[in-house]
Amino acid sequence: MMNLNSPLFDRIRSKPNAEEVRAEQEPVCQHPACRRKGEFRAPKGRDHEGEFYLFCLEHVKEYNQSYNYFAGMTDAAVQSYQKDALTGHRPTWNISVTGAGLGAESKVDAATLLRAKLERLRRAREAAAAEARVRPVGKAALKALEALGLDETADKALVRRRFKELAKRLHPDLNEGDRSREEKLRAIIDAYNYLKTVGLA
Ligand SMILES: [Zn+2]
């Protein structure tokens, strides 16, 4: 009869089975509920440079499409990143993939997304700058802007943002019928409506 306590048997028993060995060599896609092979690396994102998720082809594509490198970055940070990119900065999150052929595709996706995004930012800034340069601001408009605590350099987005901010702060529900605040709120609404009629909000 076989001696179950022999060192030889211990060794056999502690050896991982075939499935475990395969799981170790072939990581599974990290998309929840997906059991395909995780063959493709995808960057975890800013502040996690050099770290990757492993996905199957379908999920690395999905991930790349929704990947937003700039989420949560301030405009200034995006700008300095953009400047960097122009002077030869190489993003560290280029996806390198173990599979041939199809891997190149996911690399292009991320680079293309980034380029498109930078281009949109650049155009938006140019448009805002052009608007600020040529826009004639009449006395009444200037007064309305001042009522919102702004000057003639404010663009539409800023006017809207400021109006919402002030309207929220001065809302009667928050101020228990404070007369002076009600009047201020009315003045701000008038100013905002005026700016809308002249295309400044
Ligand atoms: Zn998957």
Side-chain angles (χ1 to χ4, degrees), residues 28-38 54-60:
V28 172
C29 172
Q30 285 178 268
H31 189 278
C34 180
R35 304 303 303 162
R36 274 172 294 208
K37 273 201 275 178
L54 289 168
F55 290 119
C56 67
L57 177 61
E58 185 192 319
H59 287 129
V60 81

Side-chain angles (χ1 to χ4, degrees), residues 27-84:
V28 172
C29 172
Q30 285 178 268
H31 189 278
C34 180
R35 304 303 303 162
R36 274 172 294 208
K37 273 201 275 178
E39 297 175 272
F40 300 93
R41 297 208 299 168
K44 284 195 176 178
R46 198 154 38 86
D47 299 329
H48 294 277
E49 268 91 1
E51 290 178 41
F52 296 88
Y53 294 113
L54 289 168
F55 290 119
C56 67
L57 177 61
E58 185 192 319
H59 287 129
V60 81
K61 281 183 170 175
E62 202 176 289
Y63 181 85
N64 282 345
Q65 267 158 29
S66 61
Y67 181 75
N68 183 359
Y69 191 81
F70 297 109
M73 243 196 227
T74 64
D75 275 5
V78 172
Q79 241 170 350
S80 90
Y81 186 95
Q82 188 176 11
K83 223 184 264 165
D84 256 15

Side-chain angles (χ1 to χ4, degrees), residues 115-161:
R115 254 200 309 279
K117 185 145 214 152
L118 293 176
E119 181 59 20
R120 276 202 301 279
L121 277 170
R122 193 183 61 75
R123 277 195 214 143
R125 288 216 176 81
E126 272 180 13
E131 194 186 348
R133 270 196 306 275
V134 301
R135 197 180 53 187
V137 175
K139 259 188 193 155
L142 201 56
K143 225 177 138 196
L145 285 166
E146 275 165 9
L148 297 172
L150 300 169
D151 62 22
E152 70 280 2
T153 62
D155 63 10
K156 286 184 186 184
L158 178 58
V159 170
R160 266 179 243 142
R161 201 161 61 232

Side-chain angles (χ1 to χ4, degrees), residues 39-41 56-58 60-61 64 95-109:
E39 297 175 272
F40 300 93
R41 297 208 299 168
C56 67
L57 177 61
E58 185 192 319
V60 81
K61 281 183 170 175
N64 282 345
I95 303 163
S96 73
V97 179
T98 48
L102 290 167
E105 203 178 316
S106 58
K107 195 168 182 170
V108 168
D109 280 353

